[in-house]
Amino acid sequence: MNRKMRRELREDKNLVKELYSIINKYLSRLLNMFNNLTDTRNQSYVTYKMKTICVTRLFGLLCGLTTMTDISSDNFNSDHCIKNLSKICNQNLEELPYWETIQDVFINIKTDELRNIQKYIVKTLICSKMFDKYKYDGYFQIVVDGTGLSSHNYNLNNNCIKKKYKDGKIAYCKYVLECKLIVGNIVISLDSEWIENVDNLNENQKQDCEIKVFERMAKRIKKNYPKQKFIITADALYSTSPVINICKHNKWKYIFNLNDRLRTVFKDFNDYIEYFNDCSVKNYFLNINYKYKNHKFNIIKFTEINKKKSTNFHYITNLEVDDNNIKQIVHLGRNRWKIENQGFYNQKHRIFDITHLCSRNDTALKNHYFFIQFAHTIRQLLDLGNILVKSLNLKIKEVSALILKSLTSTISVLNNLKTNFQLKFDD
């Protein structure tokens, strides 16, 4: 397809209809679930239904609008956009809800209700079977990692993590721990938990940390997905007895990076492979059934060699490993980077700007974050699964611009949508 053909196809195609078709087919209950969220407004004075408030926010994000004021800008608040969202929300709108109206609603939505929507999205997509080809031996892979959202010179909401630098300066940071379902090149938010301190933390109390948060998160994941088989993947911070015990208790498999943080194990392994290697595949090294405290796991080393240098990757895992599958296991281990690249990097720099504070209210801040996760999942279904979008070979921001153009300059036909299409994802 040459540039002229791509240009003509871009002009002809309505990406709002494509998006709405995907939501209608794969997440059919999603938009109506917004009507059941907590609404503390005086109903005598309500102009916009909860669904309308939430859909306006969601579609603003799908267009790549990162700030709340963008939703009320002339660029978004056009006559065509109002008519399109009227159809989607099933409410006859004269104007879109103003950003302050959305903000007032988000302050009072219970965050656990959005967790239920997060669970609905993941379970529904899993049940669709379209991601089954990405399972390993019946297991879905999930990657766990933390990321910083913002940094301040004051303790926002009195629950920030306090960082003290060598020069004496203090920063107060917002962090979140993410658990992402990895299916091909798609990363779907399966669970989110904030790394935050309790109010008025005294000097004798330890701050919240990733491992503590993972313990809280793991209980919820097991409750929400009791029969689902998972491979937990994470960096070397998680190569500890408490985390391994959690995986053992929940009957999860794991692949964790190994470095000299676990000094004895790391040294023993590298001494061992100087003389014995349980693998005969070139550049791969294996120690089977290594005993550490009351655990047994396999240790893998892979040496990647290119023209300039060689790089070593070390992992521990309770998956069975041999010559036949060691390359697959290492590939799964290296999938950990997808939470950084396709997850955090894209959300920070290419589309949603999760580092932007959409609200200083603690509840609203978290609720906006959940809506970003919803929007990111839907956008990945469009960007990586829709045949048309893939054929255009567009960058993320270009797709955002086309969605915005379709929403604000064209009245879309959104009834009698076809459902006989299938999203197709690359391996």
Side-chain angles (χ1 to χ4, degrees):
M1 185 182 296
N2 59 37
R3 288 189 297 173
K4 182 179 179 181
M5 293 170 65
R6 284 199 296 270
R7 188 165 57 249
E8 290 173 348
L9 200 51
R10 284 200 301 266
E11 294 295 325
D12 178 62
K13 205 63 180 176
N14 187 322
L15 290 193
V16 169
K17 187 173 181 178
E18 298 292 318
L19 264 177
Y20 192 54
S21 296
I22 289 171
I23 294 171
N24 190 54
K25 177 173 181 177
Y26 292 98
L27 301 168
S28 58
R29 290 176 47 215
L30 174 63
L31 303 187
N32 287 329
M33 290 178 79
F34 294 145
N35 270 334
N36 298 323
L37 297 174
T38 296
D39 186 0
T40 60
R41 297 173 295 172
N42 186 326
Q43 297 303 302
S44 301
Y45 300 100
V46 166
T47 302
Y48 303 104
K49 296 186 295 186
M50 285 293 288
K51 180 178 179 179
T52 301
I53 295 284
C54 295
V55 166
T56 301
R57 176 60 172 141
L58 180 67
F59 271 78
L61 288 166
L62 292 170
C63 293
L65 303 181
T66 59
T67 70
M68 292 301 295
T69 53
D70 285 341
I71 295 174
S72 300
S73 68
D74 293 338
N75 195 32
F76 185 71
N77 190 24
S78 70
D79 290 339
H80 290 93
C81 185
I82 293 169
K83 290 179 180 178
N84 285 324
L85 291 186
S86 293
K87 293 179 182 179
I88 294 170
C89 300
N90 195 26
Q91 180 179 3
N92 189 21
L93 303 173
E94 294 181 3
E95 291 289 341
L96 296 181
Y98 196 62
W99 71 268
E100 289 179 321
T101 303
I102 298 174
Q103 202 71 282
D104 289 341
V105 169
F106 270 53
I107 287 172
N108 293 299
I109 294 175
K110 294 179 180 178
T111 303
D112 280 347
E113 295 174 342
L114 298 187
R115 291 191 191 280
N116 288 333
I117 293 178
Q118 183 184 49
K119 179 175 70 173
Y120 161 75
I121 290 173
V122 174
K123 282 194 167 184
T124 304
L125 293 178
I126 286 176
C127 289
S128 73
K129 305 293 184 183
M130 64 180 172
F131 294 137
D132 279 3
K133 66 178 181 178
Y134 299 113
K135 287 183 179 180
Y136 175 80
D137 196 25
Y139 289 80
F140 275 116
Q141 183 177 25
I142 55 180
V143 177
V144 180
D145 199 9
T147 190
L149 298 181
S150 61
S151 179
H152 315 270
N153 58 6
Y154 62 98
N155 194 357
L156 177 64
N157 302 316
N158 294 317
N159 59 9
C160 290
I161 298 298
K162 183 178 178 181
K163 288 183 68 175
K164 190 171 182 178
Y165 296 97
K166 291 180 179 179
D167 60 4
K169 290 183 179 179
I170 294 175
Y172 297 92
C173 305
K174 289 287 184 184
Y175 287 98
V176 66
L177 186 69
E178 266 293 319
C179 177
K180 303 279 194 187
L181 175 69
I182 306 295
V183 281
N185 291 318
I186 295 176
V187 295
I188 298 171
S189 180
L190 184 137
D191 199 285
S192 310
E193 179 71 26
W194 271 261
I195 306 172
E196 58 187 11
N197 294 323
V198 297
D199 289 347
N200 303 317
L201 183 73
N202 64 50
E203 292 183 359
N204 296 322
Q205 291 176 291
K206 291 185 178 181
Q207 295 197 96
D208 208 5
C209 67
E210 277 195 41
I211 300 304
K212 286 183 186 178
V213 174
F214 177 71
E215 290 174 1
R216 303 198 296 266
M217 176 184 277
K219 292 177 182 178
R220 188 167 52 239
I221 292 173
K222 188 61 179 179
K223 180 181 177 181
N224 289 340
Y225 308 90
K227 297 182 180 179
Q228 193 65 60
K229 297 162 69 176
F230 288 126
I231 301 171
I232 312 295
T233 311
D235 61 27
L237 179 67
Y238 291 77
S239 296
T240 63
S241 277
V243 176
I244 293 172
N245 283 331
I246 289 171
C247 293
K248 187 185 297 185
H249 174 75
N250 291 322
K251 298 181 180 179
W252 294 335
K253 300 298 183 181
Y254 60 82
I255 305 173
F256 299 139
N257 283 61
L258 173 68
N259 60 23
D260 57 6
R261 179 189 294 270
L262 211 59
R263 189 171 301 155
T264 302
V265 176
F266 189 74
K267 184 178 185 305
D268 282 354
F269 170 74
N270 282 293
D271 289 343
Y272 174 88
I273 61 171
E274 288 290 326
Y275 306 99
F276 305 100
N277 182 8
D278 297 322
C279 175
S280 60
V281 181
K282 185 179 180 181
N283 296 331
Y284 289 82
F285 306 88
L286 175 65
N287 187 348
I288 296 175
N289 291 329
Y290 181 89
K291 294 180 181 180
Y292 170 67
K293 296 184 178 180
N294 62 334
H295 309 298
K296 272 187 182 181
F297 47 69
N298 301 314
I299 309 177
I300 301 171
K301 174 183 174 183
F302 167 59
T303 302
E304 183 179 65
I305 300 173
N306 57 36
K307 294 180 180 178
K308 294 183 179 179
K309 63 177 183 178
S310 63
T311 307
N312 293 319
F313 300 88
H314 293 80
Y315 304 98
I316 63 171
T317 180
N318 61 345
L319 287 163
E320 292 185 7
V321 188
D322 56 30
D323 284 4
N324 296 319
N325 69 355
I326 192 167
K327 289 185 178 181
Q328 289 176 281
I329 303 299
V330 168
H331 177 75
L332 290 172
R334 297 186 71 176
N335 273 347
R336 189 186 70 80
W337 287 104
K338 289 186 178 180
I339 196 171
E340 291 283 354
N341 298 333
Q342 281 90 327
F344 299 141
Y345 185 84
N346 280 350
Q347 288 186 10
K348 287 180 179 180
H349 303 293
R350 287 181 175 159
I351 184 167
F352 298 118
D353 192 11
I354 56 172
T355 58
H356 173 75
L357 279 181
C358 293
S359 174
R360 295 186 182 276
N361 175 274
D362 195 50
T363 300
L365 183 153
K366 293 172 181 176
N367 291 341
H368 283 296
Y369 180 85
F370 272 105
F371 266 76
I372 289 174
Q373 304 314 308
F374 304 159
H376 191 207
T377 296
I378 295 168
R379 272 296 302 269
Q380 288 178 97
L381 296 179
L382 175 76
D383 296 359
L384 302 176
N386 182 277
I387 296 174
L388 168 75
V389 174
K390 287 163 61 178
S391 69
L392 293 174
N393 196 26
L394 299 172
K395 296 179 180 178
I396 291 175
K397 290 184 178 181
E398 291 175 319
V399 177
S400 299
L402 284 180
I403 297 171
L404 181 62
K405 182 179 178 182
S406 298
L407 190 64
T408 58
S409 62
T410 305
I411 297 177
S412 304
V413 179
L414 299 176
N415 55 345
N416 299 320
L417 294 173
K418 294 180 180 180
T419 58
N420 60 348
F421 67 92
Q422 187 71 38
L423 298 178
K424 296 184 181 295
F425 303 100
D426 298 329
D427 292 337

